[in-house]
Amino acid sequence: MIFPDRFKDKIVIVTGAAQGIGRGVALRIAAENGQVILADRSDLVDEVAHEIMRSGGVAITVKTDLETFVGAQTVVNQAIEHFGRVDVLINNVGGAIWMKPYDAFSEEEIIKEINRSLFPTLWCCRAVLPEMLKEKSGVIVNVSSIATRGINRIPYSAAKGGVNALTASLAFEHAKDGIRVNAIATGGTDAPPRKVPRNSTPLTEDEKVWMQQVVDQTKERSLMGRYGTIDEQVNAIVFLASDESSYMTGSVIAVGGGDQG
Ligand SMILES: NC(=O)c1ccc[n+]([C@@H]2O[C@H](COP(=O)([O-])OP(=O)(O)OC[C@H]3O[C@@H](n4cnc5c(N)ncnc54)[C@H](O)[C@@H]3O)[C@@H](O)[C@H]2O)c1
């Protein structure tokens, strides 16, 4: 469902907007008349911006690596340069790179998982806060995961546990400044094949088994026994990003068919 005025006059950063859930959020917010800054390190993000502009929406892209603070600062600087302020930040970059038992992870892989699924959110929150503090208003939505209680991706689970802690603690710190911070714990979500793969190395036979174990656990823990859709995740994210959730901060809402994460 589209509510045409929900994001009217709102300036919204969406990270990881080139595909999947981030793309869905960007299209929905633009359709609801938000002006969007689409941040991604893939050039495919330009296609999403063109799609929005073809429909009469307003979008700019910033192509940068959000695993670095300088990348996050670049996104915020571009937003300020074009639109003068940031009303909403949606931290969507993340995603498990490997699925395997913890004892099979190397030191390097563990660091890569934390860099992928914790640092972009930490950096973007840090970069946007001074601007929201100036405005004495702002909304941050972090995209977490039900994997905080899940097998075969412990470093990712730990990163998303960090996102949940960051969400609650930042909400405590800045409620007095008019800044709300919430998260959704995304459940397993059906999506078209990824144009930007999380891991471009073909899966080994062992990795196929470990991946299937994650799929099985996800379905078993969902009371509905199924994966969700991108739209079902987008619905919850845009609710938290909008003024409809004005009395909510520090919450992590599970969107996993009843799996609370
Ligand atoms: N898809 C699921 O089933 C699922 C389940 C639980 C949680 N989530 C969470 O939802 C979010 C989105 O998931 P998805 O499956 O749509 O993601 P995805 O992997 O399909 O897309 C991620 C996007 O982020 C971009 N990106 C990755 N690293 C980046 C970086 N360092 N700098 C800039 N851009 C970067 C990629 O280019 C890509 O466009 C993630 O945080 C993920 O952890 C997803």
Side-chain angles (χ1 to χ4, degrees):
M1 176 108 57
I2 289 175
F3 303 92
D5 286 339
R6 191 154 52 164
F7 289 95
K8 193 166 179 287
D9 302 325
K10 299 277 190 196
I11 312 300
V12 183
I13 294 175
V14 184
T15 75
Q19 67 181 14
I21 295 168
R23 173 178 176 275
V25 169
L27 294 176
R28 178 78 66 83
I29 288 180
E32 298 192 1
N33 282 311
Q35 300 173 57
V36 288
I37 299 97
L38 308 181
D40 205 292
R41 63 182 172 193
S42 165
D43 288 338
L44 287 174
V45 74
D46 286 335
E47 291 179 13
V48 182
H50 289 143
E51 202 174 332
I52 288 170
M53 290 187 286
R54 272 198 303 274
S55 312
V58 178
I60 64 164
T61 61
V62 185
K63 280 168 267 178
T64 189
D65 183 358
L66 293 173
E67 289 181 14
T68 66
F69 181 63
V70 72
Q73 192 63 68
T74 303
V75 175
V76 172
N77 289 349
Q78 293 278 312
I80 297 301
E81 197 173 298
H82 280 81
F83 300 107
R85 61 175 206 282
V86 177
D87 298 310
V88 181
L89 164 66
I90 297 174
N91 284 309
N92 167 74
V93 164
I97 308 168
W98 292 278
M99 306 274 180
K100 51 182 157 181
Y102 191 41
D103 55 279
F105 272 91
S106 69
E107 178 186 6
E108 190 193 0
E109 287 166 346
I110 293 168
I111 291 168
K112 283 190 172 164
E113 295 281 7
I114 301 297
N115 285 342
R116 171 77 57 93
S117 289
L118 177 58
F119 272 103
T121 298
L122 268 178
W123 293 142
C124 288
C125 286
R126 174 62 186 84
V128 86
L129 262 177
E131 300 303 328
M132 290 186 172
L133 286 168
K134 265 188 230 158
E135 298 293 328
K136 285 268 173 205
S137 121
V139 177
I140 297 175
V141 183
N142 297 326
V143 180
S144 184
S145 174
I146 54 150
T148 48
R149 290 170 72 85
I151 57 165
N152 290 357
R153 52 213 196 282
I154 302 302
Y156 171 72
S157 306
K160 292 299 194 181
V163 168
N164 292 356
L166 159 68
T167 300
S169 301
L170 206 56
F172 273 104
E173 209 169 274
H174 290 295
K176 66 180 184 327
D177 302 310
I179 299 169
R180 299 191 298 110
V181 190
N182 291 292
I184 71 158
T186 307
T189 305
D190 275 328
R194 289 189 171 90
K195 292 182 188 165
V196 186
R198 290 184 180 173
N199 174 359
S200 44
T201 318
L203 296 184
T204 64
E205 288 310 307
D206 276 345
E207 285 172 334
K208 285 181 193 164
V209 171
W210 293 327
M211 168 78 84
Q212 189 56 46
Q213 288 170 347
V214 171
V215 171
D216 292 345
Q217 195 209 19
T218 303
K219 284 190 184 155
E220 277 161 22
R221 285 178 53 101
S222 162
L223 302 182
M224 299 180 185
R226 66 167 175 89
Y227 270 45
T229 64
I230 286 181
D231 258 0
E232 286 172 325
Q233 301 302 334
V234 170
N235 290 341
I237 293 168
V238 295
F239 164 70
L240 288 177
S242 76
D243 293 342
E244 284 174 20
S245 58
S246 55
Y247 192 47
M248 292 180 65
T249 196
S251 296
V252 179
I253 299 181
V255 188
D259 184 349
Q260 298 302 310

